[in-house]
Amino acid sequence: QVQLVESGGGLVQAGGSLRLSCAASGRTFGSYTMGWFRQAPGKEREFVASISRYGGRGYSDSVKGRFTISRDNAKNTVYLQMNNLKPEDAAVYYCAASGTLGISTKLNEYDYWGQGTQVTVSS
């Protein structure tokens, strides 16, 4: 029902900024809770940020204050603005869609996933 395509990843110096985009196709994008997850080599996929259909937002403790999730329903797009990047932020970042009414931090509550975009942070 929903197809997701991430973009905006790349190489950035520690302390720099990057904005990821997730373009969605589907009839009712605005009805989904959206999330960002990331996965570093050899590690499990972890929650980063979530935004509900009403605009409520939640973040993992590791990124709160540095990252901002937002959405533009008219463009069927969700964004992740990443500031003050650290080497430990390096990972493949995934966009996902959930049918939950509010924000969700749980991997198994997301039904649709993009293929990911690589973020590399150099020191």
Side-chain angles (χ1 to χ4, degrees):
Q1 294 180 352
V2 179
Q3 294 78 47
L4 306 172
V5 180
E6 303 95 335
S7 63
L11 175 64
V12 64
Q13 188 174 355
S17 298
L18 205 61
R19 187 170 85 155
L20 306 182
S21 298
C22 174
S25 63
R27 189 176 65 84
T28 55
F29 168 79
S31 68
Y32 288 94
T33 285
M34 302 297 297
W36 287 96
F37 291 76
R38 66 188 183 188
Q39 188 168 21
K43 297 183 178 180
E44 299 293 331
R45 192 168 300 186
E46 66 175 359
F47 169 77
V48 176
S50 178
I51 183 167
S52 77
R53 67 183 71 179
Y54 305 108
R57 296 181 288 189
Y59 302 91
S60 69
D61 290 340
S62 63
V63 308
K64 191 172 185 178
R66 298 188 297 121
F67 291 11
T68 302
I69 187 171
S70 62
R71 67 192 298 163
D72 186 339
N73 290 342
K75 296 182 178 180
N76 281 11
T77 302
V78 63
Y79 305 95
L80 185 68
Q81 177 67 47
M82 305 185 293
N83 297 328
N84 301 315
L85 282 161
K86 303 175 181 180
E88 52 263 43
D89 294 319
V92 176
Y93 282 71
Y94 296 90
C95 176
S98 171
T100 60
L101 295 178
I103 61 170
S104 175
T105 65
K106 299 180 179 179
L107 191 75
N108 62 7
E109 291 185 342
Y110 287 83
D111 303 306
Y112 305 99
W113 294 84
Q115 295 188 140
T117 185
Q118 176 73 54
V119 172
T120 303
V121 184
S122 63
S123 59

